[in-house]
């Protein structure tokens, strides 16, 4: 019950502009009363559905409500779980008199205590105030009765934000584009997708004006029985999609859910390892320049096989130039998402891959520091790992880096206790390092302990 209340309070606050102020006692009271079903009443009304209401959070939001006009002319804003959308949509479209059963706080059913973005938008479109709010329980037409399943937290999550898998689209033909408002443009593609993008942000301008576009999009998993406003419109990221340093996760930045890819051509020159000794860079050569691309370690064998099969052939490389950690001042890389020849295409993991795995028994390793791995995060160099005796790479988490970074120097002996990483199927460990996550690091006789969570990478 406590978790459900927290969710409803959070959702309520998101719908109301709050700038630099505390949550008022009245707002807390509204949230409690909205959540306390034991004190809600059930009321029957006659009237007509006059408008569908979709969620506020993305351009691909679920159908989660409707505006109902009672026989006396008053408007009621009703909500229901997204999984009922397919059943409710035809009823909203009937525009005929029906009987509905609604539950809610007695006062709120007659006078809405707050207005969501969708509610305010509906009032503007209908040129009429909405008097009350409630939850839809039942719809009775002349022929049938439709029962609404009880609400749940999961009901109103968007399929896109649940998506953990992304795919790369190469050279999709642009049929037309139109200006929506301000800097926003909508591109209509031959493959059925529509891309919503803003000009004057990153290099979106070039893509908006292109005849063909390449981009990364999520593989969408929708709630069964739901309806979305559009299943094929993707909002393009203003900047980048960021992942962890070692490519084991992916996260849309700034709430965006897709991004354009740039393209260059070149001949594969060399595969290069990263600080862990794992192949994760591809150097290419064109007539005018040498360019290095970065990719997920788990794509190494696939890329190696591809460039061997197309030795000395010109490749088209689809990538996004971005930082590794989301900070603009950090080092930028050309993150690779696909390679193409005239006849063949290799789509990559795009930095969404299987989690790393480790040995179940920890072990001790000691040695002389022969290398230090620093990552530029915004304006600072952050310790990410050390190499011991030229054969072990020790990952250092941000939790412990601040404590040991000033103590660890090349030539100094340190000891660690931790778990050895098992290689992934698609990797190439060129330098042969044994890679460890430590739970303890001993430097100059002092032991530093870390709370290691082996369900995710550092």
């Amino acid at each position: 019950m406590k978790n459900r209340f927290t969710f409803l309070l959070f959702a309520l606050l998101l719908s109301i502009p709050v700038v630099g102020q505390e949550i008022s006692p009245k707002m807390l009271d509204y949230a409690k009363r909205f959540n306390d079903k034991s004190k809600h009443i059930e009321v029957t009304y006659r009237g007509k559905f006059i408008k569908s209401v979709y969620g506020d959070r993305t351009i691909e939001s679920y159908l989660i409500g409707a505006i109902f006009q009672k026989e006396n002319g008053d408007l009621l804003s009703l909500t229901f779980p997204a999984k009922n959308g397919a059943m409710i949509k035809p009823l909203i479209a009937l525009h005929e008199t029906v009987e509905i059963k609604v539950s809610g706080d007695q006062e709120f059913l007659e006078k809405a205590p707050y207005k969501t973005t969708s509610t305010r938008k509906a009032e503007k479109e209908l040129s009429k105030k909405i008097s009350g709010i409630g939850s839809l329980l039942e719809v009775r037409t002349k022929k049938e009765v439709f029962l609404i399943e009880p609400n749940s937290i999961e009901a109103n999550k968007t399929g896109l934000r649940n998506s953990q898998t992304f795919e790369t689209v190469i050279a999709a033909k642009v049929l037309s584009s139109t200006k929506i408002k301000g800097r926003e443009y909508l591109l209509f593609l031959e493959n059925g997708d529509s891309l919503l993008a803003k000009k004057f942000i990153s290099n979106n301008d070039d893509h908006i004006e292109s005849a063909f576009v390449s981009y990364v999009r999520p593989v969408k998993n929708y709630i069964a029985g739901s309806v979305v406003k559009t299943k094929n419109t993707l909002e393009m990221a203003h900047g980048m999609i960021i992942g962890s340093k070692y490519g084991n996760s992916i996260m849309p930045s700034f709430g965006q859910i897709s991004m354009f890819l740039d393209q260059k051509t070149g001949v594969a020159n060399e595969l290069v390892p990263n600080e862990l000794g794992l192949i994760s860079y591809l150097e290419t050569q064109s007539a005018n320049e040498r360019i290095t691309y970065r990719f997920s370690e788990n794509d190494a064998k696939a890329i190696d096989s591809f460039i061997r099969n197309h030795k000395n052939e010109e490749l088209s490389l689809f990538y996004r130039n971005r930082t590794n950690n989301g900070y603009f001042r950090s080092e930028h890389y050309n993150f690779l998402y696909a390679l193409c020849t005239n006849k063949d295409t290799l789509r990559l993991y795009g930095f969404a891959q299987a989690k790393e795995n480790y040995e179940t028994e920890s072990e001790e390793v000691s040695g002389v520091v022969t290398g230090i791995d620093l990552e530029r995060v915004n304006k600072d160099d952050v310790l990410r790992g050390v190499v011991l005796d030229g054969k072990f790479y020790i990952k250092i988490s941000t939790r412990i880096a601040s404590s040991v970074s000033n103590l660890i120097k090349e030539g100094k002996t340190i000891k660690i206790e931790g778990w050895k990483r098992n290689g992934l199927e698609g990797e190439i460990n060129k330098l042969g390092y044994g890679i460890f996550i430590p739970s303890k690091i001993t430097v100059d006789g002092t032991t530093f302990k870390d709370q290691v969570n082996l369900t995710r990478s550092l």
Side-chain angles (χ1 to χ4, degrees):
M1 188 71 174
K2 182 179 179 181
N3 291 337
R4 179 173 171 76
F5 170 72
T6 302
F7 170 81
L8 288 170
L9 176 59
F10 177 68
L12 177 62
L13 294 176
L14 280 179
S15 66
I16 302 173
V18 180
V19 181
Q21 63 185 32
E22 295 182 354
I23 302 171
S24 68
K26 182 180 290 188
M27 185 63 66
L28 286 172
D29 179 60
Y30 288 159
K32 290 178 181 177
R33 289 170 61 182
F34 186 87
N35 182 63
D36 190 359
K37 306 296 183 182
S38 66
K39 296 182 181 179
H40 286 187
I41 63 171
E42 294 185 2
V43 184
T44 299
Y45 299 106
R46 287 181 58 81
K48 297 179 179 180
F49 290 109
I50 60 173
K51 182 176 175 56
S52 301
V53 176
Y54 290 81
D56 303 328
R57 303 183 100 184
T58 71
I59 58 174
E60 206 170 55
S61 295
Y62 286 109
L63 175 62
I64 56 171
I67 305 300
F68 184 82
Q69 186 172 40
K70 297 187 286 187
E71 286 185 321
N72 65 2
D74 289 346
L75 299 185
L76 191 63
S77 177
L78 303 174
T79 60
F80 49 80
K83 59 186 175 183
N84 294 282
M87 178 180 70
I88 296 297
K89 187 177 180 181
L91 301 179
I92 298 174
L94 283 176
H95 294 297
E96 66 179 34
T97 299
V98 296
E99 184 176 282
I100 64 171
K101 183 183 290 186
V102 177
S103 71
D105 181 273
Q106 185 170 5
E107 180 184 347
F108 295 172
L109 287 170
E110 299 299 325
K111 184 178 180 181
Y114 59 86
K115 302 291 177 69
T116 66
T117 303
S118 296
T119 304
R120 291 192 294 269
K121 183 178 179 181
E123 287 182 334
K124 186 176 181 180
E125 292 177 2
L126 297 171
S127 299
K128 188 173 181 177
K129 295 292 184 181
I130 291 172
S131 59
I133 59 172
S135 299
L136 185 62
L137 299 179
E138 179 183 302
V139 180
R140 186 181 295 269
T141 67
K142 294 178 181 179
K143 298 180 179 180
E144 296 179 87
V145 177
F146 299 87
L147 301 177
I148 308 300
E149 292 187 40
N151 210 341
S152 64
I153 293 176
E154 290 75 18
N156 297 331
K157 288 182 179 178
T158 65
L160 285 180
R161 292 178 186 271
N162 288 335
S163 178
Q164 298 296 316
T165 307
F166 289 75
E167 60 186 1
T168 301
V169 179
I170 301 298
K173 185 177 181 180
V174 179
L175 298 179
S176 63
S177 65
T178 182
K179 185 176 181 179
I180 303 300
K181 61 179 180 179
R183 297 176 294 168
E184 288 188 341
Y185 285 76
L186 191 60
L187 280 62
F188 299 94
L189 309 184
E190 189 176 48
N191 65 8
D193 284 351
S194 301
L195 310 181
L196 182 66
K198 288 186 177 181
K199 276 197 169 186
F200 313 121
I201 294 178
S202 187
N203 62 343
N204 280 359
D205 293 26
D206 296 335
H207 298 288
I208 290 172
E209 296 168 0
S210 296
F212 294 87
V213 292
S214 299
Y215 55 100
V216 174
R217 68 179 174 192
V219 176
K220 295 163 281 188
N221 300 302
Y222 294 103
I223 295 171
S226 65
V227 173
V228 293
K229 205 167 189 179
T230 170
K231 288 189 176 183
N232 301 97
T233 300
L234 302 171
E235 189 171 1
M236 308 309 287
H238 300 338
M240 56 203 142
I241 292 180
I242 63 175
S244 74
K245 178 175 182 182
Y246 302 109
N248 70 310
S249 63
I250 188 167
M251 180 181 72
S253 63
F254 311 117
Q256 310 302 308
I257 44 77
S258 191
M259 71 176 184
F260 288 118
L261 295 177
D262 298 311
Q263 178 185 358
K264 285 185 180 293
T265 58
V267 176
N269 185 31
E270 184 181 6
L271 290 172
V272 180
N274 60 17
E275 298 85 355
L276 286 77
L278 305 174
I279 293 292
S280 65
Y281 295 97
L282 170 63
E283 289 186 355
T284 65
Q285 182 69 54
S286 65
N288 301 318
E289 58 185 342
R290 174 176 289 188
I291 301 177
T292 299
Y293 299 89
R294 184 171 177 173
F295 52 84
S296 165
E297 294 94 333
N298 207 23
D299 284 323
K301 287 183 179 178
I303 292 176
D304 182 52
S305 176
F306 188 86
I307 62 178
R308 286 177 186 274
N309 291 334
H310 300 284
K311 190 174 182 179
N312 298 324
E313 290 185 36
E314 185 175 69
L315 304 175
S316 292
L317 302 107
F318 296 87
Y319 69 98
R320 184 73 173 194
N321 182 268
R322 57 179 175 82
T323 67
N324 186 61
N325 44 50
Y327 291 99
F328 182 77
R329 293 181 181 179
S330 300
E331 185 175 356
H332 284 65
Y333 301 90
N334 296 318
F335 284 87
L336 190 61
Y337 287 85
L339 300 91
C340 298
T341 65
N342 290 333
K343 298 180 180 180
D344 202 2
T345 298
L346 175 63
R347 288 176 170 82
L348 307 177
Y349 276 80
F351 302 89
Q353 65 180 48
K355 292 181 179 178
E356 295 180 337
N357 62 87
Y358 294 81
E359 297 288 347
T360 56
E361 298 293 331
S362 65
E363 57 183 284
E364 290 187 355
V365 173
S366 62
V368 176
V369 176
T370 55
I372 296 177
D373 177 19
L374 300 175
E375 180 187 15
R376 174 56 60 92
V377 178
N378 204 10
K379 297 182 292 182
D380 302 315
D381 291 326
V382 178
L383 178 65
R384 289 303 191 193
V386 296
V387 179
L388 300 184
D389 294 338
K391 59 182 180 180
F392 300 111
Y393 183 95
I394 312 301
K395 289 188 175 185
I396 306 294
S397 74
T398 53
R399 294 181 298 274
I400 202 170
S402 58
S403 299
V404 301
S405 57
N406 292 330
L407 301 176
I408 293 179
K409 309 292 182 184
E410 287 196 23
K412 182 175 288 189
T413 298
I414 69 171
K415 182 175 72 173
I416 70 101
E417 181 181 333
W419 289 266
K420 186 177 182 180
R421 178 183 180 276
N422 294 316
L424 298 176
E425 184 179 354
E427 292 179 350
I428 299 176
N429 192 337
K430 187 170 183 178
L431 300 184
Y433 289 158
I435 302 169
F436 285 81
I437 285 184
S439 59
K440 298 178 182 178
I441 299 178
T442 302
V443 187
D444 295 337
T446 301
T447 299
F448 300 86
K449 296 182 179 180
D450 194 5
Q451 297 297 321
V452 177
N453 178 4
L454 293 182
T455 62
R456 67 177 185 84
S457 177
L458 298 180

